[in-house]
Amino acid sequence: MAAEQMADGPQDGVPLPPRPLDAIDQDILKILQADGRASIRSVAERVHVSRANAYARINRLVEDGVIRGFGARVDHERAGHGTSAYITLKIVQNTWRTVREQLRQLPGASHIALVGGDFDVLLLVHTPDNRALRELVLTRLQAIPEVLSTRTLLVFEEEDLEPES
């Protein structure tokens, strides 16, 4: 499936209603989470449905926004981004959408979340080294007018909890 076919999810911040999933849909999701390159034939055989049924179910899951895309799990260190950090940000009230758009443009930004608590935004970044991380925080992040403060939490070790293929 092409990337342009993927449902982007809510554009205006309003979440889509949950999609009821039966046991076959859940099994399909588990298979595709473990191996996003699994063929329709392989998926169909493993969940005991026809290829046409598996294809229709996967397309429906994509169209309904349950499956947001297919991608590769990357070892950031081996890919030349050996420094990872979570950065917390306090931002000006009601500027989330503006800040989010600016954070999306940052090199190495991997995950952005609006959260509740002592800070407003949690940002995960992967950079080549500490110097690049320093540049990102001190030059790029702190230059965003809506960012009031930042705190950087250096990641010493990380592990994806997604199913292994």
Side-chain angles (χ1 to χ4, degrees), residues 33-110:
Q33 283 179 301
D35 180 6
R37 300 186 325 168
S39 69
I40 297 290
R41 180 178 159 206
S42 168
V43 171
E45 288 172 357
R46 291 169 65 185
V47 299
H48 310 290
V49 298
S50 70
R51 282 186 291 193
N53 187 325
Y55 184 79
R57 283 174 177 270
I58 292 170
N59 276 344
R60 188 181 69 241
L61 291 167
V62 169
E63 290 169 5
D64 289 349
V66 174
I67 295 176
R68 297 184 302 163
F70 297 89
R73 288 189 300 273
V74 176
D75 182 320
H76 297 286
E77 192 168 348
R78 291 189 51 90
H81 289 93
T83 299
S84 297
Y86 286 97
I87 303 168
T88 66
L89 296 89
K90 288 187 181 182
I91 62 173
V92 174
Q93 188 173 358
N94 296 321
T95 61
W96 162 242
R97 288 178 182 85
T98 302
V99 171
R100 178 182 58 196
E101 292 311 311
Q102 293 177 71
L103 297 178
R104 284 179 174 164
Q105 305 305 315
L106 292 175
S110 175

